[in-house]
Amino acid sequence: MNCIIVDDEPLAREAIQMLIAQTDNLDLMGSFNSSDAATKFLLDNTVDLIFLDIQMPGINGIEFAKTISKETFVIFTTAFSEFATDSYEVDAIDYLIKPVKLERFQKGVDKAQTYYKLFNADYTNNNIENITDDYFFVKADRKMFKVYFNDIHFIEGLKDYVVMHTESQKVITAMNIKTIHDQLPKNMFVRVSKSYIINIKQIESVDNNTVYIGKNEIPIGNIYRDFFFNEFVTKKILSR
């Protein structure tokens, strides 16, 4: 994957550049100190992945991310954890807190590379079919996959696709996250942000901002928080 760095701090750009140099399958095309400079570069160049700071003079990283191509992935790099929820509202692949450690950096890159390969497969707009009480079929990668509701841990919406994270695999298909949410059992699945639907049976713990499912941390969006806690957390606890 080719990539660029966008960060107004010279030392931060140098740090990310060193991490890229230690990571396989990344080709650094450029390093920019502002969103404006990166925008000019993107007019004439196709970029697979952007390492993007959030707090910058002029257009900040969140606003800049809204303007880039749907074919370009974003990994945010920032010193501030409070922007994490906002980052997933713009389909960010990952959110790294500075100073970024190599192991954590490579984990984010591995996710980007996995999705890059998946998204470059031949997908068409699909729908889930043959819905029963226990499972449904979905077309993905020229095959029909049988997916049991109980096996789904969570569903991630990214760009124009949804990724179903199941017990044993990731199933990706070209579909709007709202479309699949409308067809799932409402007593089992709840949307907790613009980008995530979770299976409440798979929840291990929650705090005010995050749902924990296995090793996955699912951000809770501000506009979904009250409904999730009122209908699926507090009510369930009180009804026991």
Side-chain angles (χ1 to χ4, degrees):
M1 297 176 69
N2 61 53
C3 63
I4 63 173
I5 301 166
V6 185
D7 196 311
D8 64 311
E9 299 178 3
L11 290 178
R13 294 197 302 273
E14 183 177 342
I16 296 299
Q17 187 168 345
M18 292 175 62
L19 291 169
I20 291 171
Q22 298 176 74
T23 304
D24 293 335
N25 302 318
L26 283 181
D27 179 19
L28 181 62
M29 298 178 68
S31 183
F32 305 94
N33 63 3
S34 70
S35 298
D36 287 341
T39 297
K40 293 177 182 178
F41 180 82
L42 292 171
L43 290 175
D44 299 315
N45 298 274
T46 300
V47 174
D48 300 319
L49 176 62
I50 300 177
F51 296 98
L52 179 59
D53 188 21
I54 291 181
Q55 286 199 324
M56 296 184 292
I59 300 174
N60 67 33
I62 297 290
E63 293 303 315
F64 173 61
K66 295 176 182 178
T67 70
I68 66 173
S69 166
K70 290 184 178 181
E71 282 70 46
T72 300
F73 294 131
V74 171
I75 293 179
F76 282 108
T77 58
T78 178
F80 303 95
S81 60
E82 60 265 30
F83 295 110
T85 299
D86 292 336
S87 75
Y88 291 106
E89 296 296 311
V90 292
D91 293 327
I93 282 284
D94 209 344
Y95 187 93
L96 306 179
I97 302 296
K98 301 174 183 175
V100 183
K101 295 183 178 180
L102 178 61
E103 181 180 358
R104 183 66 184 86
F105 180 83
Q106 292 180 335
K107 180 179 178 182
V109 172
D110 286 346
K111 181 179 179 182
Q113 290 177 335
T114 296
Y115 285 6
Y116 176 78
K117 293 175 183 177
L118 289 171
F119 288 4
N120 277 277
D122 182 20
Y123 292 106
T124 56
N125 289 324
N126 299 307
N127 206 345
I128 59 178
E129 302 175 7
N130 301 328
I131 304 172
T132 74
D133 291 337
D134 300 316
Y135 63 85
F136 61 85
F137 281 90
V138 63
K139 184 179 180 182
D141 196 18
R142 302 187 184 92
K143 300 176 183 177
M144 294 297 292
F145 287 85
K146 184 178 184 180
V147 181
Y148 284 91
F149 294 125
N150 283 334
D151 286 345
I152 298 173
H153 288 195
F154 61 94
I155 298 171
E156 181 180 9
L158 194 61
K159 309 294 184 179
D160 293 325
Y161 301 86
V162 292
V163 184
M164 286 168 269
H165 296 255
T166 73
E167 190 73 31
S168 59
Q169 64 182 332
K170 295 183 181 72
V171 178
I172 180 173
T173 189
M175 187 186 303
N176 183 282
I177 192 169
K178 182 180 184 301
T179 298
I180 193 168
H181 183 229
D182 289 342
Q183 300 180 70
L184 294 170
K186 295 300 185 290
N187 64 334
M188 185 183 301
F189 293 92
V190 58
R191 193 168 178 180
V192 294
S193 74
K194 175 180 176 290
S195 301
Y196 286 95
I197 299 166
I198 63 168
N199 183 344
I200 62 171
K201 294 184 177 181
Q202 299 288 347
I203 296 173
E204 296 182 4
S205 61
V206 300
D207 59 31
N208 192 51
N209 297 307
T210 309
V211 178
Y212 299 90
I213 298 177
K215 295 181 179 179
N216 300 285
E217 299 180 5
I218 313 299
I220 302 171
N222 292 331
I223 66 174
Y224 298 88
R225 183 177 289 106
D226 288 346
F227 177 79
F228 171 62
F229 278 94
N230 290 338
E231 297 298 321
F232 290 92
V233 180
T234 306
K235 183 178 291 186
K236 297 294 182 183
I237 292 173
L238 294 176
S239 64
R240 289 179 180 176

